[in-house]
């Protein structure tokens, strides 16, 4: 069972930074990240993962000024490079956008991270669905979904080609012959595509993993195709066992047409967790966190998902019927859930935001209950492992490492020590052969 | 006297990788870089510096395959982030090109490095005079010099504006008030320029140094103007005391029109060194290194600087007069030097490349001789310090740290321990106030 941890400083709960157990300035603290990575490594995790959006909000600050989310963070590639020296085994994965960077730069930086970490780098390929980001890079708004994915596909293929510039043994460093590299083993890229033109050689040798691991998370049709073609790890976000099974099957079936085996891609199901010694304790902690949500934040989130401005409404009265829009434009599930709580349960605005949990519901329970759920999904064909988030960090991760990991080991679902040295080895992903050598090999057969 | 070391793995001599004292695979070894940074820190250097070109050569491989230069290197930002954890005091500077990256990404990564290193980041702004690099980023060839510098100027000003997005005390993290940051202290950038359009806020708080230190090295008219306006460290490359003095005066005089004080910019003179216990030993080591140059490499370098192909000529005969071009198109000083050795001294091709040293001549001598030269330049108004390169690394640096540094300390020219914690403190550069706070302060006066 593969395990990744999504490292949001202070935790995944929007009010986590207000809980006294967290460190409010964690998001820019390298020491905090070093300690958290060490903790995940003690828990024998496969992957320490950093999400990212290249933007800070500049509107709705009445709400956003009350939460750290993406407003103030260390940049993933610099952060992961710094962590390479304080860890030895755990994979180091980070997000970089194909909409707002250059393939040559991304290829270099992840290749460099793979060398620095001796084979533990992973790149989460995203197209950045965020107009704030677009405006930081010369655009009025985000390009359409299809165009972003077409660019992403070309981008990833090009980066992978750059990673194969040099054969594994190109740098012979033969002092006797005075030869630093074998010119026959350099294969410059000559790419003329719709979005990019690159003619050149990457200026770093092939990496310990052959290529850094490619991660993706897109669940749309275009996202699934891109994943089936290029991804080696996919973070899924289905909320039910059935849904996750269907996603898993669908994705693995799509791979054949790209000449790939199902095992060449690992699906990690997103799983938000809150672990406590008893079910009651877990509920209590969850309630405590909900009550830490500032009313301005609660109202803002409800307003975003109900797709209307609620900022003028009193907190202790129900939302007037005429203020509820007819239908959702964005997240229909979020919208319908709020409408149900408002219309059927007739909750006040305050009761509503205390009850509402955006997106996937957090799994709350004892170590045994959590282990049961993970085993059920894993053994039930819903995933190859999990991408875990914790309401409070690093406390949630510490509970998991201390109490759930031993239970998973007891059940034979987790390793008892790291056996390999690279992220590919941890995940059971093959080291990709260099395409130029593979081609020669095939030609010689 | 400020000291920076330019860290080329194995050393600045083109045949250094062939010398048994160097480590031939140093350029991609993080361990090698950690040890070298630790050595420079023991020597109380201000700055550990990484040069960069985002390209590997793909032609003339008969020669280039015999030398490591820029063919296979760790990427500067990931490398420096990794070194932040293994060092405590020394500044960490790296090159990034304004021609081939996005201002928002550069602003983020250097700001992140400044946080990770607790105030030791420096960005060397270059426009990348290299067609190989251009072809890695969608261009046929490099844009003209003037256009590159106009873009660089806009780029740097924009990055500095992004670094001032947040006032120093914007992130209050006030749990009682439920306020993570003060919205009045966010100042989004609204920039519409000839080369860039950016509307947004940097997603990382103001850094320990206020802003990372800006380095430049351009010696052209446009380069000097850009430096006078924006640089805080300038690497100069004059080969004579007089030339360096003139450059120093010229640069410092240009600053006034940008409202800057001469002390806001430090000129570090480039100084290639080879230190040995006796002058004879230094000469012997230099000769040994010259003799390690492979004939193909010697011929290639001579050919490049004589601006003609010499690859068909016999090694042990003089260059025929009719093969010497009438005049230089690129580096006239290099060209004239070779012509002199060929015509007047009538050297054979082999004798020529053994004698020829490209660019600035290496200062070879005893620790006392080297200290004398540094003192002469520093006290003579030629510079505020030095950017040192060593023929062999890390051996050359080790000799300098062990033998020259104590002599400079004895003369009162160098510190005996780090007094400050940031690169700005080491260099005596002020911490720039946030422009928005400065403006308010001025308005209130």
């Amino acid at each position: 069972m593969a395990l990744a941890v999504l490292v949001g400083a202070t935790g995944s709960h929007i009010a986590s930074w207000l809980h006294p157990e967290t460190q409010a300035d964690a998001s820019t603290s390298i020491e905090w990240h070093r300690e958290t990575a060490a903790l995940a490594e003690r828990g024998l995790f496969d992957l320490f993962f950093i999400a990212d959006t290249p933007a800070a909000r500049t509107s709705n600050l009445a709400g956003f000024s009350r939460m750290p989310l993406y407003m103030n963070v260390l940049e993933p590639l610099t952060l992961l490079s710094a962590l390479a020296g304080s860890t030895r085994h755990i994979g180091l994965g980070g997000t970089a956008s194909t909409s707002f960077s250059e393939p040559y730069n991304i290829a270099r930086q992840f290749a460099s991270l793979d060398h620095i970490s001796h084979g533990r780098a992973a790149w989460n390929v995203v197209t950045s669905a965020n107009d704030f980001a677009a405006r930081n890079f010369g655009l009025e708004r985000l390009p359409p979904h299809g165009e972003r994915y077409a660019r992403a596909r070309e981008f990833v293929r090009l980066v992978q080609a750059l990673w194969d510039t040099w054969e594994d043994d190109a740098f012979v460093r033969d002092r006797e012959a005075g030869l630093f590299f074998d010119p026959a083993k350099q294969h410059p890229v000559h790419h003329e595509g719709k979005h990019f033109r690159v003619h050149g050689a990457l200026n770093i040798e092939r990496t310990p993993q052959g290529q850094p691991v490619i991660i993706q998370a897109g669940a749309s049709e275009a996202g699934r195709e891109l994943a089936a073609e290029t991804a080696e790890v996919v973070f899924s976000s289905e909320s039910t066992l059935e849904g996750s099974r269907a996603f898993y099957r669908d994705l693995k079936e799509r791979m054949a047409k790209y000449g790939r085996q199902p095992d060449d891609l690992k699906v990690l199901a997103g799983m938000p967790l809150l672990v406590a010694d008893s079910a009651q304790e877990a509920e209590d902690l969850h309630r405590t966190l909900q009550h830490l949500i500032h009313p301005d934040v609660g109202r803002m989130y409800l307003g975003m998902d109900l797709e209307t401005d609620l900022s003028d409404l009193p907190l202790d009265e129900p939302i007037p019927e005429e203020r509820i829009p007819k239908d959702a434009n964005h997240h229909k599930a979020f919208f319908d859930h709020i409408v149900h709580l408002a219309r059927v349960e007739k909750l006040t605005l305050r009761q509503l935001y205390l009850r509402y949990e955006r997106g996937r519901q957090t799994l709350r329970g004892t170590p045994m209950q959590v282990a049961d759920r993970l085993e059920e999904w894993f053994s039930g064909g819903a995933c190859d492992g999990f991408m875990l988030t914790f309401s409070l960090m690093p406390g949630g991760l510490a509970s998991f490492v201390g109490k759930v990991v031993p239970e998973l080991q007891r059940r034979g679902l987790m390793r008892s020590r790291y056996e390999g040295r690279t992220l590919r080895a941890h995940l059971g992903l093959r080291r990709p052969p260099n395409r130029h050598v593979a081609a020669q090999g095939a030609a010689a057969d």
Side-chain angles (χ1 to χ4, degrees), chain A:
Chain A
M1 178 188 294
L3 287 185
V5 53
L6 170 62
V7 183
T10 77
S12 60
H13 194 281
I14 51 169
S16 59
W17 78 275
L18 292 165
H19 193 280
E21 181 189 287
T22 62
Q23 182 180 324
D25 66 354
S27 69
T28 50
S29 164
I30 186 64
E31 288 77 17
W32 185 92
H33 284 89
R34 280 201 198 108
E35 286 161 24
T36 306
L39 175 59
E41 195 166 64
R42 281 199 299 280
L44 303 172
F45 273 63
D46 296 271
L47 182 65
F48 182 92
F49 177 71
I50 305 286
D52 191 62
T53 298
R57 302 270 176 169
T58 53
S59 56
N60 287 322
L61 295 190
F64 280 113
S65 63
R66 300 188 177 283
M67 40 198 269
L69 206 65
Y70 298 129
M71 296 302 292
N72 181 17
V73 293
L74 295 173
E75 184 278 335
L77 274 152
T78 45
L79 170 55
L80 296 173
S81 299
L83 295 176
S86 65
T87 53
R88 285 177 58 88
H89 293 281
I90 195 165
L92 301 167
T95 296
S97 170
T98 54
S99 300
F100 309 121
S101 34
E102 287 280 348
Y104 196 88
N105 292 335
I106 291 289
R108 273 190 88 185
Q109 293 200 315
F110 278 100
S112 190
L113 176 62
D114 207 41
H115 280 286
I116 287 169
S117 65
H118 299 300
R120 299 185 280 134
W123 170 31
N124 181 36
V125 179
V126 303
T127 67
S128 302
N130 184 315
D131 283 335
F132 286 95
R135 290 193 286 271
N136 290 333
F137 295 89
L139 305 172
E140 292 281 354
R141 63 185 59 82
L142 218 53
H145 188 270
E147 194 181 313
R148 291 205 315 275
Y149 270 87
R151 181 180 156 112
R153 181 179 181 279
E154 189 181 333
F155 196 118
V156 175
R157 306 294 296 192
L158 178 48
V159 165
Q160 290 177 316
L162 285 165
W163 283 335
D164 278 356
T165 291
W166 301 94
E167 295 182 25
D168 283 300
D169 55 355
F171 288 89
V172 293
R173 302 180 176 94
D174 181 342
R175 282 177 169 160
E176 211 153 315
L179 197 68
F180 193 68
F181 67 85
D182 179 350
K185 297 186 173 182
Q186 184 200 65
H187 304 279
V189 168
H190 291 289
H191 174 91
E192 300 265 347
K194 186 162 178 296
H195 300 86
F196 303 103
R197 260 176 55 211
V198 170
H199 292 275
L202 199 65
N203 58 352
I204 184 165
E205 67 191 290
R206 205 154 187 270
T207 74
Q209 293 192 103
Q211 299 189 353
V213 172
I214 298 285
I215 308 176
Q216 275 162 245
S220 65
E221 179 62 26
R224 289 180 192 210
E225 279 304 309
L226 183 62
E229 183 178 358
T230 64
E232 301 176 279
V233 169
V234 166
F235 297 149
S236 70
S237 54
E238 299 291 328
S239 51
T240 65
L241 176 59
E242 268 323 305
S244 194
R245 259 191 202 135
F247 177 83
Y248 187 86
R249 271 197 309 270
D250 175 69
L251 201 56
K252 298 246 172 170
E253 279 168 16
R254 289 174 194 244
M255 295 171 68
K257 70 169 167 287
Y258 300 106
R260 303 181 70 204
Q261 303 295 319
D263 256 7
D264 293 344
L265 184 161
K266 308 294 177 185
V267 176
L268 306 193
M271 187 68 78
L273 292 182
L274 194 164
V275 192
D277 287 338
S278 72
Q280 186 58 47
E281 249 180 73
E283 286 308 316
D284 289 347
L285 179 54
H286 180 69
R287 193 168 317 107
T288 300
L289 286 170
Q290 289 293 103
H291 278 270
L292 285 174
I293 298 173
H294 192 281
D296 289 353
V297 172
R299 227 196 295 244
M300 183 182 73
Y301 262 106
L302 284 181
M304 279 166 57
D305 293 345
L306 194 61
E307 301 179 21
T308 185
D309 183 8
L310 304 172
S311 55
D312 60 315
L313 293 183
L315 282 171
D316 294 311
E317 292 174 26
I319 301 175
E321 181 57 35
E322 70 272 17
R323 296 291 292 271
I324 301 177
K326 292 278 168 278
D327 209 353
N329 276 319
H330 301 299
H331 289 285
K332 186 158 165 51
F334 295 180
F335 179 91
D336 289 347
H337 182 46
I338 297 172
V339 171
H340 173 87
L341 294 173
R343 273 210 192 115
V344 181
E345 306 208 18
K346 302 203 186 305
L347 301 185
T348 66
L349 195 51
R350 189 191 306 273
Q351 289 166 335
L352 235 167
Y353 82 68
L354 289 173
R355 181 84 75 78
Y356 182 61
E357 197 180 347
R358 196 183 200 202
R360 179 76 179 286
Q361 215 193 341
T362 301
L363 171 59
R364 308 190 279 271
T366 64
M368 205 58 78
Q369 288 171 323
V370 168
D372 286 349
R373 177 75 67 89
L374 299 188
E375 180 168 10
E376 181 191 13
W377 281 49
F378 178 69
S379 306
C383 59
D384 300 304
F386 299 91
M387 212 275 284
L388 304 178
T389 57
F390 298 96
S391 302
L392 289 180
M393 282 287 279
L397 175 61
S399 299
F400 185 88
V401 168
K403 295 167 183 171
V404 182
V405 166
E407 178 59 24
L408 294 172
Q409 290 170 325
R410 204 186 54 75
R411 299 183 189 188
L413 295 168
M414 263 194 81
R415 62 171 70 90
S416 57
R417 58 179 182 86
Y418 288 106
E419 275 146 36
R421 293 301 304 266
T422 67
L423 175 58
R424 288 186 180 278
H426 305 334
L427 293 171
L429 289 169
R430 75 196 173 103
R431 186 179 192 280
N434 186 302
R435 69 195 61 195
H436 305 289
V437 179
Q440 287 166 19
D445 282 347

